Structure formats: C-alpha cells, structure tokens
C-alpha cells in the first residue's frame, strides 16, 4: 500500500512525539539492549524486551527507515492494545504515550 498524501508527515510527527513523550516520562534508555535481544523472532520481541524497549529500539528506528523511503509503510498497525496491557505494569503516567500510539495505529491503518 502506498502512503496517501499527508500520511507520511503525520506518521513522522507521531513517531517524534512518541520519542519525546518516552523521554519525558523516563522510558528512554541511553544504552541499547544486547543485539541478540533485538533479534528475537517473537512478535514485539516479547520474549527478550520490555514493550517500551521494543518501542524505542525497534519501532521508532523502523518507522524512521520507512519515512526515509527505505521500506513501505505497513498496511495496518495495531500495537495500542498491547501497549494498554503492558503500560499497566509501569509506574509512569503513560496516558499520553498510549494516546500517541493509538493515533499512530490510526494514521497507518486509515491513512
């Protein structure tokens, strides 16, 4: 599926906002996890990373590759339901981050 006009700009804004919010609520690590942890074949690297780590080290960089034209935009996104579950375990206020992830899902899925 090719991106509709304005879709890539909106996705770029949301990816940047997700990073900013993660930094604001201190869910942004300075050091990456081991390479092997990021090479998991399980969806979301669920067996090797915390969900917020997956956002930082997998989702954000991949979306930036898409935005740079290296890969096509996915046809759909549905990460918000997992974010809802995973964020319940965190002490940070993740409401804004969850809202941004929902918006990203919508921007990708609906264009």
């Amino acid at each position: 599926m090719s991106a509709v006009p304005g879709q890539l700009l909106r996705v770029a804004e949301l990816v940047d906002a997700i990073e900013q919010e993660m930094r604001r609520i201190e869910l942004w690590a300075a050091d990456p996890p081991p390479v092997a942890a990021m090479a998991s074949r399980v969806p979301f690297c669920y067996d090797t990373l915390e969900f917020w780590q997956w956002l930082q080290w997998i989702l954000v960089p991949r979306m930036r590759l898409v935005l740079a034209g290296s890969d096509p935009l996915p046809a759909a996104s549905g990460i918000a339901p997992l974010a809802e579950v995973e964020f319940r375990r965190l002490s940070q206020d993740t409401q804004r981050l969850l809202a941004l992830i929902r918006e990203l899902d919508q921007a990708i899925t609906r264009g």
Side-chain angles (χ1 to χ4, degrees), residues 48-86:
T48 58
L49 298 176
E50 295 292 327
F51 180 73
W52 64 268
Q53 291 175 305
W54 177 84
L55 288 171
Q56 177 181 354
W57 299 106
I58 306 292
L59 178 75
V60 168
R62 282 191 185 162
M63 293 311 309
R64 290 202 168 121
L65 285 174
V66 166
L67 296 166
S70 299
D71 295 311
L73 195 64
S77 179
I79 62 173
L82 181 57
E84 288 176 25
V85 171
E86 290 299 313

Side-chain angles (χ1 to χ4, degrees), residues 3-58:
V4 297
Q7 184 181 21
L8 290 178
L9 177 60
R10 183 65 185 141
V11 168
E13 291 169 349
L14 288 165
V15 169
D16 288 344
I18 286 168
E19 178 179 340
Q20 290 170 3
E21 182 62 9
M22 288 180 70
R23 287 180 184 276
R24 188 187 74 76
I25 63 174
E26 299 180 356
L27 281 179
W28 195 264
D31 298 316
V35 173
M38 294 191 294
S40 170
R41 295 202 179 270
V42 174
F44 304 100
C45 297
Y46 202 75
D47 60 336
T48 58
L49 298 176
E50 295 292 327
F51 180 73
W52 64 268
Q53 291 175 305
W54 177 84
L55 288 171
Q56 177 181 354
W57 299 106
I58 306 292

